[in-house]
Amino acid sequence: MIADQLRAATQPLNEASSMPAGFYTDPEVFRAEREHILLANWVFLARDDQLPQPGDYRSFDTIGGPVLLVRGHDAVLRCFANYCRHRGSLLAEGTGNSSRLVCPYHAWSYGTNGLLLGCPDMKSAEDFDRSANGLVPLRMESWAGFVFTTFNELAPHLIDTLGDLPERLASHRLDEMRCTWTITLEPRCNWKLILENAMDTYHTGLVHRQTVGAQQSRTLTTRGEWKCIQVTSGRSIATLPGTEPPFPVIAGLDDDARQGTYFTVLHPALQFAVAQDCMWWLNVTPIAHDHSVLEIGGCFPADVVAAADFECNAAPYYERWELVGREDTGILERQQKALGSVAYRPGRLSWRDDQVQALSRWVLDRLPLG
Ligand code: FES
Ligand SMILES: [Fe+2]
C-alpha cells in the first residue's frame, strides 16, 4: 500500500483520509490478514442453543477450513476439524443429528466424542492405532452461549479478549437467549467493509431510508478487543419504525441499555446488535479480498421464545434484519467495485467516521506492512 496514503489515513480524524484502495482490494493484504489476524484470533461458530440435543452437529466453512461442532451423547459440545482421518474427505455437511459420523468415502465412522469407531479393511495395516485416529480436536471456548474456535494454540482465552464487553451487556442476559432465525448472505466485498458499515450511522438516512431511516449514535469507550456505538432510541430498532415492537423490554435492563441499541464489533469479524428486546449477531467469514459470507442470527429471551404466539410476533424482526442486511451488502458491493478503480484516491473522513478509522487502525496495527 502507498506509504503516504497510509500516513494520511492514520492522522487525527479531522485531518485523516480513508484507507488506500489496496487495503480492500489487494490479495497480498488479504493473505497477511488471514495469517496475522483471522487465523490468530477467535472465530465465532454458533450459539450453543443451536445444538440442543445429543448427536446434533453443525458444519462450518471457516477461514481455517471446514470445522464441525458436535453435541456428544454425554451432552458435551466439542469442536473438530471436519475431515476424515483416512484420506481426508469432508466428514459432515450442513446440520443434522446422528449417533455416529460416517465418512461417505470409505465408511470410517466416528463417535460424537470424536473417537474412531469403525474402519473397514484396516486389519493388515501394521501398528494402526484406532485411538490415535479420532477426529482432530480444535480449541473451543464460549461466552454467554456464543461458541468460538481458534486455530492458534497460543491465542489468549476468549474471556481475556472480551475486556468490559460482558459487563456492558450483562443486563441483557445473552446467555438466556435462544437463536431462532438465521440467514446467510454472500456479498462480493472485502470483510472489513462490512464491519465498518456496522460502526457507521452516517449512511443510515440514505441507504436505509425506506426501512430504519436516519439514526444517531454515540461512540462508547471500550476495554478489550471490541468496539461499540450506541444507536440512541427509546424504543427497540429491531423492528421497522411505525409499529410498536411486539416484544417487551428485557426485564432488569440497566439504564444505559434502555437508551438504545449497542452495535459492537468483536475483533476480528463478529458483530452484536443488542436492542432492548432482543439481539442479533452478524458473523463475517472472509473468503477472499473481495468476497465474504455474512451470516445473521436473531436471538430472543427464552421466555419470549416459549410463548405460543412467538413465531407470528418474531416475523417483523426477521423481515427487518433481512431487508437492512441486503441494503447494507448492496451498498458495500458498490463500494468494493469502485475501490477497484485505478484512478481511486482516498477521500477525507467525517467526524462520524471515527469508528471506521478505529477499525482500520486495529487491523493495521497487526499487519507487518513494513
Ligand atoms: S476418506 Fe473417509 S473413509 Fe476414506
Ligand atoms: Fe446499514
Side-chain angles (χ1 to χ4, degrees), residues 39-347:
L39 289 176
N41 287 288
W42 289 93
V43 176
F44 172 68
L45 295 174
R47 288 275 308 172
D48 182 272
D49 56 276
Q50 289 179 283
L51 300 95
Q53 302 300 331
D56 282 353
Y57 66 84
R58 294 181 89 88
S59 63
F60 305 87
D61 290 323
T62 76
I63 190 74
V67 167
L68 188 61
L69 274 182
V70 191
R71 174 85 59 195
H73 286 278
D74 52 4
V76 174
L77 194 64
R78 294 180 179 84
C79 185
F80 302 104
N82 185 8
Y83 72 90
C84 172
R85 293 298 304 279
H86 173 221
R87 279 173 43 216
S89 170
L90 191 65
L91 187 60
E93 283 186 298
T95 64
N97 182 284
S98 182
S99 59
R100 57 169 64 192
L101 297 154
V102 183
C103 178
Y105 203 177
H106 315 95
W108 283 28
S109 61
Y110 304 86
T112 54
N113 55 6
L115 292 180
L116 179 62
L117 298 179
C119 46
D121 298 322
M122 289 298 291
K123 287 180 198 67
S124 61
E126 284 200 25
D127 298 328
F128 177 72
D129 179 2
R130 275 181 193 232
S131 68
N133 281 277
L135 299 179
V136 172
L138 295 174
R139 283 185 73 185
M140 185 195 83
E141 294 186 11
S142 304
W143 169 76
F146 296 91
V147 181
F148 296 73
T149 190
T150 182
F151 304 93
N152 178 6
E153 286 301 323
L154 302 176
H157 288 296
L158 176 70
I159 192 70
D160 294 332
T161 70
L162 298 179
D164 60 346
L165 182 146
E167 193 181 317
R168 169 66 71 182
L169 302 182
S171 73
H172 283 92
R173 304 201 309 278
L174 300 182
D175 53 325
E176 295 172 27
M177 288 198 176
R178 298 289 176 269
C179 184
T180 57
W181 174 89
T182 63
I183 187 174
T184 302
L185 307 177
E186 198 162 345
R188 300 297 309 201
C189 73
N190 187 273
W191 65 283
K192 301 184 297 294
L193 294 182
I194 303 172
L195 301 169
E196 291 175 6
N197 178 267
M199 292 284 98
D200 156 21
T201 50
Y202 197 6
H203 74 276
T204 52
L206 284 160
V207 174
H208 305 306
R209 64 182 168 278
Q210 283 166 351
T211 53
V212 289
Q215 298 170 334
Q216 295 299 322
S217 59
R218 62 189 181 114
T219 298
L220 303 182
T221 307
T222 57
R223 179 172 50 75
E225 300 297 324
W226 68 296
K227 310 236 176 305
C228 185
I229 62 173
Q230 186 179 37
V231 174
T232 43
S233 166
R235 58 147 274 184
S236 167
I237 57 162
T239 54
L240 296 177
T243 51
E244 272 303 296
F247 296 131
V249 169
I250 294 166
L253 214 54
D254 67 35
D255 288 345
D256 270 4
R258 287 175 180 271
Q259 308 304 311
T261 301
Y262 297 124
F263 283 82
T264 76
V265 167
L266 176 56
H267 297 296
L270 176 64
Q271 305 162 39
F272 295 144
V274 187
Q276 291 98 325
D277 53 351
C278 64
M279 73 86 60
W280 60 111
W281 49 263
L282 301 97
N283 188 36
V284 182
T285 301
I287 306 292
H289 62 281
D290 61 352
H291 184 188
S292 306
V293 170
L294 171 65
E295 190 181 15
I296 308 174
C299 304
F300 298 88
D303 56 338
V304 165
V305 175
D309 54 357
F310 170 74
E311 279 303 332
C312 168
N313 284 330
Y317 293 78
Y318 304 156
E319 182 192 3
R320 177 254 189 256
W321 291 331
E322 177 168 357
L323 280 173
V324 174
R326 291 190 187 281
E327 287 170 344
D328 282 324
T329 53
I331 197 73
L332 298 178
E333 288 184 336
R334 288 178 66 131
Q335 188 179 11
Q336 184 72 35
K337 190 172 176 183
L339 286 162
S341 166
V342 292
Y344 185 83
R345 301 289 178 271

Side-chain angles (χ1 to χ4, degrees), residues 348-359:
R348 289 293 298 274
L349 297 181
S350 154
W351 64 270
R352 298 191 70 176
D353 293 314
D354 62 324
Q355 291 306 293
V356 171
Q357 190 193 39
L359 286 168

